[in-house]
Amino acid sequence: MGTSILELRHLRTLLALNEAGTISRAAQLLNVTQSALSHQVLALERQYEAVLFERKSAPVAFTAAGQRLLALARQVLPQVGAAERDLARMASDGAGKLRIAVECHTCFDWLMPSMDALRARWPEVEQDIVSGFQADPVGLLHQDRAELAIVSELDETETDMVFHPLFEFEMVAILPLGHPYLARPHLVAQDFAGQALITYPVPDDMLDLVRQVLRPAGVEPPRRTTELTVGMLQLVASGRGFAALPLWAVNGYLERGYVARQRIGPEGLMARLYAVVPRRLAGKAYLGDFVQVMRETSLLALPGIRLL
């Protein structure tokens, strides 16, 4: 047999297809276009004269030939990753700390598994979450009280910081079951005027619904706050008002029929999350690895998100 055309990128593609389940999600996971990913697979299929997976299956179902290459990817890629991390440790002392500041009340469902995954890769890195909700997490980076922050807005004036896009998601209105507004195609700002708006106790500039929808329309509904997501949902379920939350944060409650959701605006109310690190720390291998881990974990675990 001649020289193999197999490269690490081919193995990563096959592993991403298996983990993500679809070509579109795998392309997001690898940060490539669907066309580029499809061309990689076709090149392998032409080389080996074999179909690697069933095109119409969802999730992806690998053929025997695809399973053989997938087994190779599962064997080789962890070893390559481990070797690269060892080389990064050799280039520095390897040790470090990762204190995370979060302005998002609903981030912990995917943040904790991400931290677990990083702990397996970098056991010598001390991890911690800066306790409590942080109204200005980037400020903690400036004060050397954290190494990474999770924020919802890109601030180009922060030239000493590096912003890593994580993912985009839809904010949905949470309504009581059977509410007449559920029959509408979507909600607009005026639909919130006669309802109490139930939010976390944070500044209005940190609330996407207020900043993007209500304030521009001059709508100021009565307010009620609670620290806990479950408390917010309980208030909505009992008819005390509306809330706006990430779809991925409330999906389990929606599936159990505890509350209902409605789209905000004809195209939906979209929000984003970013990871921020000080520029002076941007070269730390474990920080870059953690950003990738967060992207991978969120795509595979959260419904309805799109990687940025």
Side-chain angles (χ1 to χ4, degrees):
M1 182 176 292
T3 303
S4 174
I5 70 163
L6 269 179
E7 300 177 10
L8 291 179
R9 62 190 178 99
H10 297 130
L11 299 181
R12 291 190 177 103
T13 291
L14 295 174
L15 194 59
L17 279 168
N18 181 68
E19 292 179 343
T22 66
I23 290 178
S24 62
R25 282 166 59 83
Q28 287 189 62
L29 197 60
L30 296 169
N31 198 28
V32 299
T33 65
Q34 293 187 47
S35 175
L37 189 149
S38 296
H39 277 93
Q40 285 188 34
V41 174
L42 288 171
L44 291 176
E45 291 180 331
R46 286 194 297 266
Q47 173 69 18
Y48 298 115
E49 298 181 352
V51 174
L52 298 182
F53 65 90
E54 302 296 335
R55 295 301 195 269
K56 295 183 180 180
S57 64
V60 167
F62 285 87
T63 64
Q67 288 284 0
R68 181 62 187 89
L69 290 179
L70 181 60
L72 178 64
R74 286 170 170 159
Q75 180 181 13
V76 170
L77 292 178
Q79 294 185 40
V80 171
E84 290 180 332
R85 288 190 291 275
D86 286 342
L87 291 171
R89 291 182 180 98
M90 294 175 189
S92 63
D93 59 8
K97 56 186 176 181
L98 176 57
R99 294 167 296 176
I100 305 169
V102 182
E103 71 171 24
C104 170
H105 278 78
T106 53
C107 288
F108 296 100
D109 285 349
W110 58 267
L111 184 57
M112 299 303 288
S114 298
M115 295 176 70
D116 289 342
L118 187 75
R119 190 173 295 108
R121 298 185 187 190
W122 298 88
E124 68 274 32
V125 173
E126 180 183 349
Q127 298 185 60
D128 196 8
I129 296 177
V130 180
S131 61
F133 168 77
Q134 303 298 327
D136 181 21
V138 176
L140 298 182
L141 302 182
H142 285 292
Q143 300 166 29
D144 196 26
R145 294 168 57 194
E147 286 72 45
L148 184 143
I150 308 294
V151 302
S152 57
E153 287 194 272
L154 181 66
D155 187 349
E156 295 181 352
T157 67
E158 291 282 1
T159 56
D160 291 337
M161 300 293 158
V162 178
F163 285 73
H164 297 279
L166 293 177
F167 55 86
E168 182 179 59
F169 57 95
E170 184 174 2
M171 297 286 294
V172 294
I174 307 301
L175 280 63
L177 296 176
H179 196 282
Y181 282 8
L182 295 171
R184 302 183 179 187
H186 60 267
L187 300 186
V188 297
Q190 293 300 326
D191 294 325
F192 292 87
Q195 307 289 333
L197 179 61
I198 305 165
T199 72
Y200 299 112
V202 301
D204 281 357
D205 284 342
M206 301 180 71
L207 298 171
D208 294 285
L209 176 64
V210 173
R211 188 177 67 248
Q212 297 186 46
V213 178
L214 301 184
R215 185 185 293 161
V219 174
E220 297 184 7
R223 306 290 281 276
R224 184 165 183 170
T225 63
T226 177
E227 288 277 0
L228 300 177
T229 302
V230 67
M232 191 178 300
L233 296 175
Q234 189 277 328
L235 289 171
V236 171
S238 60
R240 307 290 183 85
F242 292 175
L245 291 166
L247 174 58
W248 48 266
V250 296
N251 194 58
Y253 296 96
L254 295 171
E255 290 178 345
R256 293 194 293 271
Y258 188 59
V259 288
R261 68 177 172 112
Q262 180 60 291
R263 172 159 282 191
I264 301 170
E267 305 299 326
L269 174 58
M270 307 306 295
R272 295 182 170 191
L273 286 178
Y274 301 86
V276 192
V277 298
R279 192 171 297 278
R280 60 184 173 80
L281 299 178
K284 293 284 187 181
Y286 65 86
L287 285 176
D289 208 10
F290 187 55
V291 170
Q292 184 60 28
V293 165
M294 286 190 289
R295 288 169 56 83
E296 293 172 356
T297 301
S298 58
L299 180 68
L300 298 178
L302 305 179
I305 74 160
R306 184 181 69 83
L307 294 186
L308 298 171

